[in-house]
Amino acid sequence: TLKDRIAAMSVVVGMDCLHKLYALDMLLDLAGCGVNGNDVGNIPNSRVGQMASEALSDLFTNTLLPNDRKLISLEQRPLHLYEGKKTLSPRVLLLWRYEEIIKVRYASYLSRYLGRTLGGEDEPSKKAALNTATYLLKEIPEGEEILLTLIVNKIGDPGRKIASAAGHQLRLILEDHPVMVNVIAREVQQLAHRPHLSPRALYNCVIFLNQ
C-alpha cells in the first residue's frame, strides 16, 4: 500500500540519510515538491500529499535538520581559504555539500508543498499544513522566516476557520517562544498594512495584536 511505501522510504532515509537521498527525493516527488523535475506539473491529491508531508516533516525535524542552528550553503562557506596550499578534507567538503542539498530540499518542501497547500481551496488540507508549519517553526530554526510568513498570511484567509486557526497557532508559538513576540507582531502589522486587504482580514489582525 501507499502507506507502507512511504513508511519504507522514511526508514531508508532515517537509516542512512547521507547515502539514500533518492528515497528522500521520492517522498518529495509524492508531495509534489521534488527538485529533480520528476514532478513537473504534478500536483498530488490531498491524501497522498498529506501522507508524504507527514513523513517529510518527521524526517526533517528528527533526522535531517539541526535544532540549534540554520543550515549553511556552500557559498556561505569559507572555500576561498582552501584555494592555495591549505587543503580541505574531502569528507568535510562532502558534508558541506550534503548540508546544502538538504537546505535546497527543505526550502522546496516549505514553498512548494506547504505554500501551495496553504494557498489552495481544500480546508482540511490547509488546516493540516498550518499545523505542520507551526510544528516546524517551533522545533527548528531553518526556514523560520518562510514559515512565519505562511502562518501569518492565513490570518487573512477568506475561510473563518482557517483564519481563526492561524491566530491560535501563532499564540501556541508564542507560548513556546515568547521572545518571538516582536517578530510576530511586526509580521502581523505588515499584513494589516497591505493594500486591498479585506475588512475581515484587517479585523483579524487587529484582534490578534490586541491580545
Side-chain angles (χ1 to χ4, degrees), residues 25-40:
D25 286 338
M26 289 170 69
L27 286 170
L28 290 166
D29 288 340
L30 283 175
C33 55
V35 298
N36 297 319
N38 296 331
D39 64 339
V40 173

Side-chain angles (χ1 to χ4, degrees), residues 70-71 103 106 110 137 140-148:
K70 294 184 180 182
L71 297 181
K103 185 178 181 72
Y106 185 58
L110 297 188
L137 181 56
I140 47 181
E142 180 68 22
E144 60 187 7
E145 297 90 351
I146 297 172
L147 288 164
L148 181 57

Side-chain angles (χ1 to χ4, degrees), residues 161-203:
K161 289 183 180 179
I162 296 299
S164 175
H168 176 66
Q169 296 296 341
L170 288 172
R171 286 188 286 275
L172 290 179
I173 292 168
L174 286 173
E175 286 180 9
D176 276 23
H177 303 286
V179 294
M180 291 185 69
V181 61
N182 290 333
V183 176
I184 291 177
R186 184 166 61 247
E187 195 76 27
V188 175
Q189 287 171 346
Q190 289 176 355
L191 174 63
H193 285 96
R194 273 188 205 165
H196 314 302
L197 191 70
S198 72
R200 170 148 299 273
L202 180 58
Y203 173 78

Side-chain angles (χ1 to χ4, degrees), residues 1 6 27 32 57 64 68 84 90 101 116 125 129 159:
T1 66
I6 289 174
L27 286 170
S57 65
L64 299 173
D68 57 351
I101 287 171
R116 182 187 64 231
S125 294

Side-chain angles (χ1 to χ4, degrees), residues 3-211:
K3 186 176 181 180
D4 292 334
R5 280 180 57 208
I6 289 174
M9 286 182 240
S10 297
V11 170
V12 168
V13 176
M15 289 177 63
D16 188 4
C17 50
L18 184 62
H19 299 98
K20 305 294 184 181
L21 282 172
Y22 72 87
L24 177 63
D25 286 338
M26 289 170 69
L27 286 170
L28 290 166
D29 288 340
L30 283 175
C33 55
V35 298
N36 297 319
N38 296 331
D39 64 339
V40 173
N42 174 41
I43 297 179
N45 69 51
S46 57
R47 177 176 168 272
V48 173
Q50 192 169 326
M51 289 173 66
S53 172
E54 288 171 0
L56 286 164
S57 65
D58 180 66
L59 283 169
F60 280 126
T61 51
N62 296 311
T63 304
L64 299 173
L65 297 176
N67 61 9
D68 57 351
R69 67 173 179 87
K70 294 184 180 182
L71 297 181
I72 303 172
S73 66
L74 267 181
E75 64 181 26
Q76 294 173 303
R77 299 285 187 181
L79 294 174
H80 64 281
L81 297 178
Y82 302 95
E83 292 174 353
K85 294 181 179 179
K86 192 176 180 182
T87 59
L88 180 66
S89 162
R91 176 175 173 79
V92 171
L93 188 59
L94 173 66
L95 291 173
W96 284 1
R97 174 59 181 147
Y98 169 74
E99 183 163 327
E100 181 175 66
I101 287 171
I102 297 300
K103 185 178 181 72
V104 169
R105 280 155 177 74
Y106 185 58
S108 179
Y109 170 65
L110 297 188
S111 60
R112 295 184 56 207
Y113 177 76
L114 290 182
R116 182 187 64 231
T117 304
L118 286 169
E121 300 295 329
D122 185 66
E123 193 167 285
S125 294
K126 286 200 285 188
K127 183 74 181 297
L130 196 56
N131 291 340
T132 298
T134 301
Y135 170 68
L136 293 171
L137 181 56
K138 288 165 67 175
E139 295 297 319
I140 47 181
E142 180 68 22
E144 60 187 7
E145 297 90 351
I146 297 172
L147 288 164
L148 181 57
T149 298
L150 289 174
I151 298 167
V152 168
N153 281 347
K154 288 295 98 184
I155 292 180
D157 193 272
R160 292 191 179 192
K161 289 183 180 179
I162 296 299
S164 175
H168 176 66
Q169 296 296 341
L170 288 172
R171 286 188 286 275
L172 290 179
I173 292 168
L174 286 173
E175 286 180 9
D176 276 23
H177 303 286
V179 294
M180 291 185 69
V181 61
N182 290 333
V183 176
I184 291 177
R186 184 166 61 247
E187 195 76 27
V188 175
Q189 287 171 346
Q190 289 176 355
L191 174 63
H193 285 96
R194 273 188 205 165
H196 314 302
L197 191 70
S198 72
R200 170 148 299 273
L202 180 58
Y203 173 78
N204 291 339
C205 290
V206 172
I207 291 296
F208 178 82
L209 290 169
N210 282 339
Q211 291 175 340

